[in-house]
Amino acid sequence: MSASKAALKAAKGALDAHDYERAIENATKVLQEDPQSYHANVFLGLALEKQSRNDESEKAYTAATAVKPNDPLAWQGLISLYEQQGARLLHRYHDVAVRLAHLFMHVDDKTRCQTVVDKYTDLARNSGSRSQYKQSLEMLLPGNDLYDYLQGRIPHPSHTYARLSEIVEQDEKERINHEIGQRRTRLGARIDQVTVEVKREVLQNSDLETLYQHVIDWTDDHETRRLYDGKLLQHAYDTLVAIPVAQKASKREEVVRLARGLVILKHPFLLAWKISLEWHDVEGIEELDVGLLREYIEFFPEDGLAKVLKGYLESEISVFPKQLSIAEDDENEEAQASSLTAEDRLILMTDGVEDSPSSILARRIMGEYYLHLDEYESAAETARKGRRQAALEAKMSGLPFQNIIDAIDLILGTALVQHQAPRHHPEANSLFEGVLARKPGNSSALVGIGLIFEEQEEFERAMGFLVRAERHTPSIRIRCEAAWCKALNGEYATGCSELEGCLPSLSASDPRTKTLKAQTLYRIGMCMWNMDDSKASRRDRNKAYARFISSLQVDMNFAPSYTSLGIYYTDYAKDKGRARKCFQKAFELSSSEVVAAERLAQSFAKTSEWDLVEIVAQRVVESGKLRPPPGSKRKGISWPFAALGVVQLTNQDYPNSIVSFQSALRISPKDYYSWVGLGESYQFSGRYIAATKAFEQAQQLEQELGAEVLGDTWFSKYMLANVKRELGEYDAAIVGYEEVLALRRKEYGVSIASLQTLIESAWHNLELGFFGRAIESVQKALNVAKDLSEWRKDAFNLWKSVGDLCSVYTYIQSYIDEFPFQDIRSLLKDDFDLESYNLLAEFDDMGWAAFEASATGDSAASVLECCSFAAILAQKRAVSCCAPDPYAGAVAWYNLGWAEHRAHVCQYGEVSSGTPASLRYLKASVQCFKRAIELEAGNSDFWNALGIVTTQLNPRVAQHSFVRSLYINDKNAGTWTNLGIFYLIEGDVQLANDAFTRAQSVDPDHAQAWLGQGLLAAQLGETAEARNLFTHAFEISNASATQILRSYAFSMLDHLLSSPGAFKDNASLLQPLLALRQLSKLSVSDLLSSHIRSLFQERTGDQANVSQGLMSVCSALEAEYEMSESSEILARFAQAKADLSRSLLAEGNFDSAADNAETALDLSADDDQAGTARDKTRLSAYLSAGLARYYQGSMDRSIEMFKGALGATQEDPDIICLLSQVLWAKEGDAERSIARDQLLQCIEKHPGHVETTLLLSAIAVLDDDCDTIDAVFDDLQQLRSRDDLSPQQHQQLGQLFNAIATLYPGDQDQSSARMSDATTTVMLRPSQPYGLTQMAGLTDDTRPAETAVLTAVRKAPPRGELSAGDLSEAFAGTRKGYDAQRSIMLAPWMSSGWKTLSKV
């Protein structure tokens, strides 16, 4: 024990000496002997604390407190230890501080107790969190024994509660923001919903209201109490808004109680006053406490609701007595009524509503004030916002606010009855019915429904509601309206009497009845106006007129009276000036004065003041009085929409004009002129189908309504014809124009349109290849032009069209003999100075004399020249007709330039010889295009034309012109193509290719671009590519593109000659043949094309047309040769003769064939013509002559010709075969021997020649020459397995084997040998029907015949090349009646089908 004391003493000494290690050792020794040593633990804890061994120190102090819990020393040590560690162990500090404070309290040591508490609270405030600080403050609250012991030494409870409330406020704010930030990122979360949920969770569990109440209860400061009164109310209100509806009742009572308390105490807390005012659910404003309203204004003068209330209380509609303010003057005291002007009041109230968007009361009052001012649109808008706010407030507070909502509904319904009536009547009616369902006697709702029925012209029902309203609430206003309904119902006398009875009760000096009196006087005037509609009565200034004037004397702003006066001045006083002023005044005052607006619009339209018409019509449309409500008897008003459509149509605003006319037609579906306007709008906007339907509907109305109602209706027919013209339905358009001209013969616009349509139809038919129709259209156009020229000779479009119709003949030269020269001559000569035709004569040498001289020739070339001259003269006259108009003049010069260019092309071709005479028209066209450019330099077409005509004359100018044209419009594929052709002519291949490619990208369907690309490919030697491009150009081009037709046909001829196998049937020749046929119609002088067309026709078997065409070519070439004696022409003539002889041979005209062939031989006998073409011509002539002489029976001459062919071809095997056949046919032994020898020699030289082998085998069979048959049989077998034989050769080979099997069966009988041969044929050629057909003839089994039919059908065109005869043979082999009929139908010239049918 003594050792322990010594150690304990030593530890104490060590602590005093700051030797903490020794103190720890000694204290530890003591504790080893006596673990319950209180002082040892304290010493140990202190020493460890000094060495910052805090955890060990805490354990030592805790052990000491366990030994002596009521001794403060160890507890003080723990506090010291915790203080050093700051906020880290503040939660333990709390427990120790409370324990130590209670120890001091028990020993009644207030100073030390207070010290402990103060240190703890200071540390919690400075270093702890808000929750720890809050925990420290809770020690000082009433109800805690420390508060009772230290009362007066610690802060007042109001201060503590205030600090606690601040901490809780901050905690709740941070929690709300944190939770909202986290939850708003969840999938599908909405910020408003998340906010409500978070606030509900936080506010429902909040202690703030309790803390606020404690502050209020404990504080002695009035300002603090008022501050926390407001905070308490605000928090309670926020909680009410956030909690569910089921929990709102009790909370709402608390909120209302708190608000009333603040109002009673006149504490200026805005929320409390607003709750007291806004939540007071009253039917009328008069039920509110006016004193409360005035106090609100006094306390919150800058608040929006206060401004509205102030304006209302000083207005004429206020239900409360006005308050007088006393102003003291230096000299005396007098009462002055302080009031605002009407304008200032309205501004004040409007600002107030804007400043208080959440106030229901402000919007309710403002809505009533707007109704008083007749600002129905503003009233409706304000009421709608008030209704939404009331619904929102009801949702937040849980109060129904039914009276407030009903009042707002009445304001809204009343405004909707008047605003844009009757557009909103259904909505207004539903509002009124909703109010009446709850309040059956509500006079405002009854009057509103009555007014709606009055607008719908349901006057009986309207009077019923008005009478009910007056019964519940007697009112002079309702009585006047009921009397007016009687008048509108036709009871003018009764209504007038009752209205006059109401006048004494109305005062003009009372602002509330001033307008009503003016309205009543006006209505009395209207009753008088309608009671006697005689002219004298209405002119009487003492009747209706006087009442209208009296009405305006009462209220100068009453619009209907101005309208009635305007009608009086217009229809009876005949004073248009006053009438217009009255209508303008009426419409300025009210856009609902539709009659005044219509009269104004009509007067403005007559003077073409379209801007004013648009303003008037647009304002009427915006008034909303045009469309009647559903079920109403009142007719809609469509004229404002129609007027807007006319204005927009005049201003070329077609999309909006369509909308306007459609709106007019929805109101008045039988408005004829709106249908016409709609169709016109559709037409100008490019919607031609819709325009057609609109005009057709208008014409249907013409039939229904008749001319008596509509008047002159030709315009719709004219416009429909225009639409048909735009759609390309020229025939229908022409019929339409003719119908109009039958009604109005001298209608210039219609005549010109008809003339131009006929010309357009001609060009259209020319492009489609309907050349006859094009000429018919031109002839009709000439008749129209002749009729038009009788009364309108100075029309530019007339002469432009005459020039075009003359040009059509130059394009369709096959109809050139039908050119009406005399008609054109008289038309051009009539009433015109012939010297004017000498325009540009210094260039083109073209005038009236030249035109007259051109008519003397009868040849096609002379007539073509005459057509070109006529077109030039017509265009010159067109130039003289449009001298005053530069733009029309530019077009006229442009047209004249093309006429000159066409004359050049017709006379000299696309590229002339370059002599001055051949360039005269080209130079004239250059001058024309230059003039056009001078007048309109921004037209790309003019520059393009100049480039075309200067390509030959001046390449630099041409290039500049093309580039300039593309600078103006680089989307013109034609210009790019022309530039490409220019580069191609100049030899720049790369630039030409780039230009053609650009043209194709701009317009892939521009055929000339593909033609240019083809010409480029041909120049580069890419024949196949050129042919493909020519083919594509032909497929997408029109029928009048001569160069495309020519290039395509020639490329196909080259392909036919170089690759005969590519044309497997005649169908592939139809397209080039069609191109050549069209070309022959367009250019009769193109002999080369005509010759080639005959060659294609020869390929297709059209021998009659071939001979006729070649005869024409031969005649033309002969005439041309006689004039020129050119060797080139002679060679072409010889070739044509050779081709003609071949054609005549095919027809069976052997004499003519032989003569023409021998003529061709004579013409080509000159060695100067030596060449491949000459050799081919002579070979063709030799063969044709030989065959012709053979069929004539002149064998010697035939053999002579074939020998000539052999000499020309160096013993060609095909010629040898022909010669052998002729020799064999002569039936002489010597000739037949020669034929055998020729064939044997040929087969030795040409062992693989098919025809020679077949012919030699056939001769051996006929000669019964078994040795020869055995010699050639192996060759025949080899031929049988070859794939390069044609179907015809395979068929011939099969027939030969069949004959050999029949005549030389060998070891088998004849039938077996034939069957074996047929089987071999089928095995070698299973896809051909020949073997199966042969097999079917050898057996009674029907299967081979049926299989042959199936095989033949598969090989028939277009899947194969089987002929109709072979297909007919296959069907005949089945021995069935219906197949025999099919066989006959397929090839009636074949006997097999007829034989089979005869045996069935």
Side-chain angles (χ1 to χ4, degrees), residues 845-1038:
D845 195 19
M846 179 65 217
W848 183 257
F851 174 64
E852 292 277 12
S854 67
T856 57
D858 295 331
S859 64
S862 299
V863 179
L864 180 61
E865 183 183 47
C866 183
C867 293
S868 303
F869 287 177
I872 292 174
L873 294 183
Q875 298 296 354
K876 286 183 177 181
R877 188 161 181 177
V879 170
S880 66
C881 290
C882 58
D885 187 351
Y887 294 103
V891 175
W893 281 108
Y894 175 74
N895 294 333
L896 177 57
W898 280 123
E900 297 276 7
H901 181 264
R902 183 60 188 168
H904 169 78
V905 171
C906 291
Q907 204 159 354
Y908 303 107
E910 294 287 347
V911 181
S912 62
S913 60
T915 61
S918 65
L919 297 176
R920 53 184 179 142
Y921 300 115
L922 207 57
K923 291 179 179 179
S925 66
V926 171
Q927 297 302 316
C928 293
F929 292 136
K930 285 183 177 180
R931 296 278 184 89
I933 291 172
E934 289 173 2
L935 294 172
E936 189 179 349
N939 192 311
S940 62
D941 293 334
F942 296 174
W943 286 101
N944 178 45
L946 181 61
I948 293 173
V949 298
T950 56
T951 297
Q952 182 179 357
L953 298 175
N954 192 331
R956 290 186 178 181
V957 174
Q959 183 181 23
H960 170 75
S961 300
F962 289 135
V963 172
R964 182 64 180 175
S965 176
L966 291 172
Y967 174 76
I968 298 172
N969 179 17
D970 63 348
K971 301 299 183 182
N972 191 325
T975 307
W976 281 109
T977 302
N978 295 333
L979 182 61
I981 294 294
F982 170 80
Y983 286 135
L984 188 60
I985 293 172
E986 295 299 318
D988 195 330
V989 175
Q990 183 59 46
L991 289 178
N993 182 67
D994 294 343
F996 291 138
T997 304
R998 182 64 181 272
Q1000 292 163 6
S1001 65
V1002 171
D1003 183 5
D1005 293 331
H1006 188 65
Q1008 280 71 18
W1010 298 97
L1011 170 66
Q1013 199 85 39
L1015 294 173
L1016 179 61
Q1019 182 174 325
L1020 296 175
E1022 299 175 1
T1023 308
E1025 179 68 16
R1027 183 176 63 255
N1028 292 333
L1029 291 169
F1030 290 146
T1031 302
H1032 181 67
F1034 171 73
E1035 290 172 349
I1036 64 176
S1037 69
N1038 56 59

Side-chain angles (χ1 to χ4, degrees), residues 85-98:
Q85 299 182 54
R88 191 172 70 87
L89 298 176
L90 195 58
H91 58 288
R92 298 180 186 176
Y93 191 171
H94 169 76
D95 298 334
V96 173
V98 171

Side-chain angles (χ1 to χ4, degrees), residues 560-574:
S561 296
Y562 284 107
T563 301
S564 298
L565 283 175
I567 295 173
Y568 171 82
Y569 286 127
T570 301
D571 298 342
Y572 299 99
K574 305 300 180 183

Side-chain angles (χ1 to χ4, degrees), residues 71 341 493 530 547 593 708 778 825 871 960 963 999 1022 1025 1043 1061 1270:
D71 191 309
T341 63
N530 292 315
R547 298 303 186 277
E593 292 302 308
E708 297 80 6
V778 165
R825 179 180 180 277
H960 170 75
V963 172
E1022 299 175 1
E1025 179 68 16
Q1043 186 58 47
D1270 292 339

Side-chain angles (χ1 to χ4, degrees), residues 37-58:
S37 174
Y38 175 77
H39 289 92
N41 280 305
V42 171
F43 293 158
L44 178 61
L46 180 59
L48 292 170
E49 177 187 352
K50 295 300 183 180
Q51 289 192 339
S52 300
R53 297 165 64 179
N54 296 329
D55 293 340
E56 298 177 23
S57 174
E58 183 181 9

Side-chain angles (χ1 to χ4, degrees), residues 26 86 114 166 255 268 618 636 653 680 752 829 868 885 987 1012 1053 1287 1354 1378:
N26 292 321
Q114 180 184 354
E166 292 173 0
V255 170
Q618 186 63 45
D653 186 6
E680 196 171 355
I752 284 294
K829 186 177 181 180
S868 303
D885 187 351
L1053 177 63
R1354 292 192 188 99
Y1378 56 85

Side-chain angles (χ1 to χ4, degrees), residues 1101-1273:
D1102 188 7
Q1103 300 300 335
N1105 287 328
V1106 172
S1107 299
Q1108 183 180 358
L1110 287 173
M1111 286 179 183
S1112 300
V1113 171
C1114 288
S1115 299
L1117 287 173
E1118 185 177 6
E1120 189 173 349
Y1121 176 72
E1122 290 176 354
M1123 293 178 62
S1124 63
E1125 295 186 357
S1126 169
S1127 59
E1128 181 182 354
I1129 299 299
L1130 181 61
R1132 290 175 58 190
F1133 182 35
Q1135 185 178 3
K1137 279 292 185 179
D1139 293 339
L1140 177 60
S1141 67
R1142 189 171 61 251
S1143 174
L1144 292 171
L1145 177 65
E1147 288 184 17
N1149 190 351
F1150 305 122
D1151 295 337
S1152 298
D1155 293 341
N1156 281 282
E1158 291 173 356
T1159 302
L1161 289 171
D1162 294 338
L1163 292 173
S1164 59
D1166 191 356
D1167 292 337
D1168 294 338
Q1169 302 178 15
T1172 304
R1174 171 182 175 274
D1175 294 341
K1176 290 183 178 179
T1177 299
R1178 293 184 64 79
L1179 175 61
S1180 175
Y1182 275 127
L1183 292 175
S1184 298
L1187 291 172
R1189 295 303 182 186
Y1190 169 76
Y1191 287 115
Q1192 282 179 328
S1194 180
M1195 298 300 177
D1196 295 334
R1197 290 287 295 165
S1198 175
I1199 292 171
E1200 182 182 347
M1201 292 298 170
F1202 282 126
K1203 287 181 179 179
L1206 280 175
T1209 59
Q1210 289 80 38
E1211 297 184 354
D1212 185 270
D1214 292 330
I1215 304 300
I1216 292 174
C1217 289
L1218 287 174
L1219 178 59
S1220 299
Q1221 290 175 6
V1222 173
L1223 289 171
W1224 184 269
K1226 196 173 181 182
E1227 298 181 351
D1229 293 338
E1231 286 80 1
R1232 291 189 175 184
S1233 178
I1234 293 173
R1236 292 190 194 94
D1237 294 340
Q1238 289 287 338
L1239 290 173
L1240 289 172
Q1241 293 176 7
C1242 180
I1243 203 168
E1244 289 179 1
K1245 295 180 180 179
H1246 307 283
H1249 192 255
V1250 179
E1251 294 294 336
T1252 304
T1253 305
L1254 292 175
L1255 190 57
L1256 187 60
S1257 300
I1259 290 175
V1261 170
L1262 293 175
D1263 286 344
D1264 195 17
D1265 187 354
C1266 295
D1267 294 336
T1268 304
I1269 291 174
D1270 292 339
V1272 299
F1273 190 77

